[in-house]
Amino acid sequence: MTAAGYSRADIHMHTNLGDGWASPAQVIKEARRRGLRLIAITDHDHLEGAWRVAELLAREQALGPDGDGREEAAPLELVIGVEVTTRDGHLLGLFVEKAPRAQRPVEEAIDEIKAQGGLVIVPHPFGRLVPSLSRARIEGLLNKGYCIDALEMYNPSPANASQRHMVRLANQEWQLAEVGGSDAHFWQHIGVAYTLFPGQSAQELRQAILQRQATPGGQEVPTPRLPLGVYVAQCAWSWLVDPPRRAWRARRNHHHQRGVVVR
């Protein structure tokens, strides 16, 4: 149940156009089943999964409730996002139009996200199982005046579970906004963590984060456990299959941008 006047947003998830296993269509279906009002697709270092979800949602809207013979679907809004691989750890950018270049200093990623009017969120802070920003790195950024809009305080994956208490203690000093995201790589995990915010729209979510009115949720429900082999296979996909695809995308986008400049 969601309190009256509030909505749920899962602002950290992946599709099979990245290193996730859920198709864009599966993401939409499961997000609605979970009662989410907003989702952000945050594949690593590219926006293609987010664009595909945007296309599917736009097609639904164009067809209308009777356009394909189905009942009207529950409203679902998309925020374009990306999980940037920086030299210092992962970084989430929400409300972006372009993915920052990967494997650059985190300062450059923040500048690129902010130049687009995006929000900067630190996912799985202090995490030890995936590349994550350390406490010292976050403090250094804040001391230099770099804007961090929120910390992902609840991520149900093992990536930051052991560090959650330390993050809470650190944020008593930093006083950054706190959000939740599932970091879902499988459809079964979509919405198991979320950000609760007053309102319904993407802009209301944005304002809730900026005004520190958002809260992390999902701790009340156990995360579904999948067979060990599924996690092993996804890790292999993430390490062996997705990186070459990302490198190919980066080269393609670089050549495309050069062509635009030449013309």
PDB file of all heavy atoms in Angstrom, residues 95-110:
ATOM      1  N   PHE A  95      17.288  12.213 -15.610  1.00  0.00           N
ATOM      2  CA  PHE A  95      16.840  13.335 -16.425  1.00  0.00           C
ATOM      3  C   PHE A  95      17.962  13.786 -17.373  1.00  0.00           C
ATOM      4  O   PHE A  95      18.277  14.972 -17.467  1.00  0.00           O
ATOM      5  CB  PHE A  95      16.372  14.507 -15.546  1.00  0.00           C
ATOM      6  CG  PHE A  95      15.233  14.171 -14.633  1.00  0.00           C
ATOM      7  CD1 PHE A  95      15.473  13.793 -13.321  1.00  0.00           C
ATOM      8  CD2 PHE A  95      13.921  14.225 -15.076  1.00  0.00           C
ATOM      9  CE1 PHE A  95      14.425  13.485 -12.459  1.00  0.00           C
ATOM     10  CE2 PHE A  95      12.861  13.908 -14.229  1.00  0.00           C
ATOM     11  CZ  PHE A  95      13.116  13.544 -12.917  1.00  0.00           C
ATOM     12  N   VAL A  96      18.561  12.813 -18.057  1.00  0.00           N
ATOM     13  CA  VAL A  96      19.643  13.126 -18.990  1.00  0.00           C
ATOM     14  C   VAL A  96      19.195  12.858 -20.421  1.00  0.00           C
ATOM     15  O   VAL A  96      18.210  12.163 -20.667  1.00  0.00           O
ATOM     16  CB  VAL A  96      20.911  12.304 -18.671  1.00  0.00           C
ATOM     17  CG1 VAL A  96      21.446  12.654 -17.297  1.00  0.00           C
ATOM     18  CG2 VAL A  96      20.642  10.800 -18.778  1.00  0.00           C
ATOM     19  N   GLU A  97      19.930  13.414 -21.356  1.00  0.00           N
ATOM     20  CA  GLU A  97      19.683  13.202 -22.776  1.00  0.00           C
ATOM     21  C   GLU A  97      20.840  12.506 -23.464  1.00  0.00           C
ATOM     22  O   GLU A  97      20.723  12.066 -24.596  1.00  0.00           O
ATOM     23  CB  GLU A  97      19.418  14.547 -23.465  1.00  0.00           C
ATOM     24  CG  GLU A  97      18.193  15.288 -22.932  1.00  0.00           C
ATOM     25  CD  GLU A  97      18.024  16.646 -23.569  1.00  0.00           C
ATOM     26  OE1 GLU A  97      18.914  17.061 -24.345  1.00  0.00           O
ATOM     27  OE2 GLU A  97      16.993  17.296 -23.308  1.00  0.00           O
ATOM     28  N   LYS A  98      21.958  12.421 -22.764  1.00  0.00           N
ATOM     29  CA  LYS A  98      23.167  11.830 -23.334  1.00  0.00           C
ATOM     30  C   LYS A  98      23.962  11.181 -22.216  1.00  0.00           C
ATOM     31  O   LYS A  98      24.036  11.718 -21.097  1.00  0.00           O
ATOM     32  CB  LYS A  98      24.009  12.919 -24.019  1.00  0.00           C
ATOM     33  CG  LYS A  98      25.317  12.449 -24.598  1.00  0.00           C
ATOM     34  CD  LYS A  98      26.085  13.639 -25.161  1.00  0.00           C
ATOM     35  CE  LYS A  98      27.469  13.225 -25.642  1.00  0.00           C
ATOM     36  NZ  LYS A  98      28.253  14.397 -26.123  1.00  0.00           N
ATOM     37  N   ALA A  99      24.550  10.033 -22.502  1.00  0.00           N
ATOM     38  CA  ALA A  99      25.366   9.344 -21.497  1.00  0.00           C
ATOM     39  C   ALA A  99      26.757   9.958 -21.438  1.00  0.00           C
ATOM     40  O   ALA A  99      27.409  10.108 -22.475  1.00  0.00           O
ATOM     41  CB  ALA A  99      25.464   7.859 -21.839  1.00  0.00           C
ATOM     42  N   PRO A 100      27.224  10.330 -20.258  1.00  0.00           N
ATOM     43  CA  PRO A 100      28.610  10.793 -20.149  1.00  0.00           C
ATOM     44  C   PRO A 100      29.584   9.699 -20.580  1.00  0.00           C
ATOM     45  O   PRO A 100      29.278   8.508 -20.517  1.00  0.00           O
ATOM     46  CB  PRO A 100      28.759  11.108 -18.652  1.00  0.00           C
ATOM     47  CG  PRO A 100      27.378  11.363 -18.173  1.00  0.00           C
ATOM     48  CD  PRO A 100      26.508  10.425 -18.974  1.00  0.00           C
ATOM     49  N   ARG A 101      30.740  10.102 -21.002  1.00  0.00           N
ATOM     50  CA  ARG A 101      31.752   9.131 -21.419  1.00  0.00           C
ATOM     51  C   ARG A 101      32.175   8.282 -20.233  1.00  0.00           C
ATOM     52  O   ARG A 101      32.327   8.774 -19.111  1.00  0.00           O
ATOM     53  CB  ARG A 101      32.960   9.850 -22.012  1.00  0.00           C
ATOM     54  CG  ARG A 101      32.683  10.514 -23.358  1.00  0.00           C
ATOM     55  CD  ARG A 101      33.908  11.264 -23.844  1.00  0.00           C
ATOM     56  NE  ARG A 101      35.046  10.375 -24.023  1.00  0.00           N
ATOM     57  CZ  ARG A 101      36.279  10.802 -24.288  1.00  0.00           C
ATOM     58  NH1 ARG A 101      36.538  12.094 -24.364  1.00  0.00           N
ATOM     59  NH2 ARG A 101      37.260   9.923 -24.457  1.00  0.00           N
ATOM     60  N   ALA A 102      32.372   7.013 -20.486  1.00  0.00           N
ATOM     61  CA  ALA A 102      32.771   6.080 -19.434  1.00  0.00           C
ATOM     62  C   ALA A 102      34.271   6.174 -19.168  1.00  0.00           C
ATOM     63  O   ALA A 102      35.049   6.675 -19.986  1.00  0.00           O
ATOM     64  CB  ALA A 102      32.408   4.652 -19.835  1.00  0.00           C
ATOM     65  N   GLN A 103      34.638   5.658 -17.991  1.00  0.00           N
ATOM     66  CA  GLN A 103      36.033   5.554 -17.571  1.00  0.00           C
ATOM     67  C   GLN A 103      36.746   6.899 -17.528  1.00  0.00           C
ATOM     68  O   GLN A 103      37.934   7.012 -17.822  1.00  0.00           O
ATOM     69  CB  GLN A 103      36.791   4.584 -18.494  1.00  0.00           C
ATOM     70  CG  GLN A 103      36.257   3.182 -18.507  1.00  0.00           C
ATOM     71  CD  GLN A 103      36.299   2.507 -17.130  1.00  0.00           C
ATOM     72  OE1 GLN A 103      37.063   2.913 -16.265  1.00  0.00           O
ATOM     73  NE2 GLN A 103      35.480   1.480 -16.948  1.00  0.00           N
ATOM     74  N   ARG A 104      36.010   7.939 -17.142  1.00  0.00           N
ATOM     75  CA  ARG A 104      36.583   9.256 -16.919  1.00  0.00           C
ATOM     76  C   ARG A 104      36.522   9.569 -15.422  1.00  0.00           C
ATOM     77  O   ARG A 104      35.818   8.899 -14.660  1.00  0.00           O
ATOM     78  CB  ARG A 104      35.812  10.322 -17.700  1.00  0.00           C
ATOM     79  CG  ARG A 104      35.611   9.999 -19.165  1.00  0.00           C
ATOM     80  CD  ARG A 104      36.888   9.999 -19.937  1.00  0.00           C
ATOM     81  NE  ARG A 104      37.436  11.341 -20.066  1.00  0.00           N
ATOM     82  CZ  ARG A 104      38.592  11.631 -20.678  1.00  0.00           C
ATOM     83  NH1 ARG A 104      39.315  10.647 -21.181  1.00  0.00           N
ATOM     84  NH2 ARG A 104      38.997  12.865 -20.769  1.00  0.00           N
ATOM     85  N   PRO A 105      37.218  10.572 -14.950  1.00  0.00           N
ATOM     86  CA  PRO A 105      37.093  10.935 -13.532  1.00  0.00           C
ATOM     87  C   PRO A 105      35.652  11.253 -13.163  1.00  0.00           C
ATOM     88  O   PRO A 105      34.887  11.777 -13.981  1.00  0.00           O
ATOM     89  CB  PRO A 105      37.992  12.168 -13.406  1.00  0.00           C
ATOM     90  CG  PRO A 105      38.977  12.035 -14.523  1.00  0.00           C
ATOM     91  CD  PRO A 105      38.224  11.398 -15.652  1.00  0.00           C
ATOM     92  N   VAL A 106      35.280  10.959 -11.941  1.00  0.00           N
ATOM     93  CA  VAL A 106      33.901  11.162 -11.505  1.00  0.00           C
ATOM     94  C   VAL A 106      33.501  12.630 -11.606  1.00  0.00           C
ATOM     95  O   VAL A 106      32.347  12.953 -11.877  1.00  0.00           O
ATOM     96  CB  VAL A 106      33.700  10.619 -10.074  1.00  0.00           C
ATOM     97  CG1 VAL A 106      34.508  11.412  -9.053  1.00  0.00           C
ATOM     98  CG2 VAL A 106      32.227  10.617  -9.707  1.00  0.00           C
ATOM     99  N   GLU A 107      34.456  13.541 -11.409  1.00  0.00           N
ATOM    100  CA  GLU A 107      34.152  14.966 -11.526  1.00  0.00           C
ATOM    101  C   GLU A 107      33.620  15.301 -12.917  1.00  0.00           C
ATOM    102  O   GLU A 107      32.691  16.115 -13.063  1.00  0.00           O
ATOM    103  CB  GLU A 107      35.393  15.812 -11.227  1.00  0.00           C
ATOM    104  CG  GLU A 107      35.844  15.772  -9.784  1.00  0.00           C
ATOM    105  CD  GLU A 107      36.820  14.656  -9.478  1.00  0.00           C
ATOM    106  OE1 GLU A 107      36.950  13.736 -10.322  1.00  0.00           O
ATOM    107  OE2 GLU A 107      37.451  14.685  -8.412  1.00  0.00           O
ATOM    108  N   GLU A 108      34.209  14.694 -13.950  1.00  0.00           N
ATOM    109  CA  GLU A 108      33.760  14.967 -15.312  1.00  0.00           C
ATOM    110  C   GLU A 108      32.348  14.440 -15.534  1.00  0.00           C
ATOM    111  O   GLU A 108      31.532  15.081 -16.208  1.00  0.00           O
ATOM    112  CB  GLU A 108      34.722  14.343 -16.322  1.00  0.00           C
ATOM    113  CG  GLU A 108      36.084  15.010 -16.368  1.00  0.00           C
ATOM    114  CD  GLU A 108      36.950  14.479 -17.492  1.00  0.00           C
ATOM    115  OE1 GLU A 108      36.412  13.813 -18.410  1.00  0.00           O
ATOM    116  OE2 GLU A 108      38.175  14.721 -17.452  1.00  0.00           O
ATOM    117  N   ALA A 109      32.058  13.277 -14.975  1.00  0.00           N
ATOM    118  CA  ALA A 109      30.702  12.720 -15.116  1.00  0.00           C
ATOM    119  C   ALA A 109      29.672  13.630 -14.446  1.00  0.00           C
ATOM    120  O   ALA A 109      28.592  13.877 -14.999  1.00  0.00           O
ATOM    121  CB  ALA A 109      30.644  11.320 -14.537  1.00  0.00           C
ATOM    122  N   ILE A 110      29.998  14.121 -13.256  1.00  0.00           N
ATOM    123  CA  ILE A 110      29.075  15.033 -12.567  1.00  0.00           C
ATOM    124  C   ILE A 110      28.846  16.282 -13.407  1.00  0.00           C
ATOM    125  O   ILE A 110      27.707  16.737 -13.578  1.00  0.00           O
ATOM    126  CB  ILE A 110      29.611  15.399 -11.170  1.00  0.00           C
ATOM    127  CG1 ILE A 110      29.590  14.170 -10.259  1.00  0.00           C
ATOM    128  CG2 ILE A 110      28.788  16.533 -10.546  1.00  0.00           C
ATOM    129  CD1 ILE A 110      30.235  14.395  -8.903  1.00  0.00           C
TER     130      ILE A 110
END
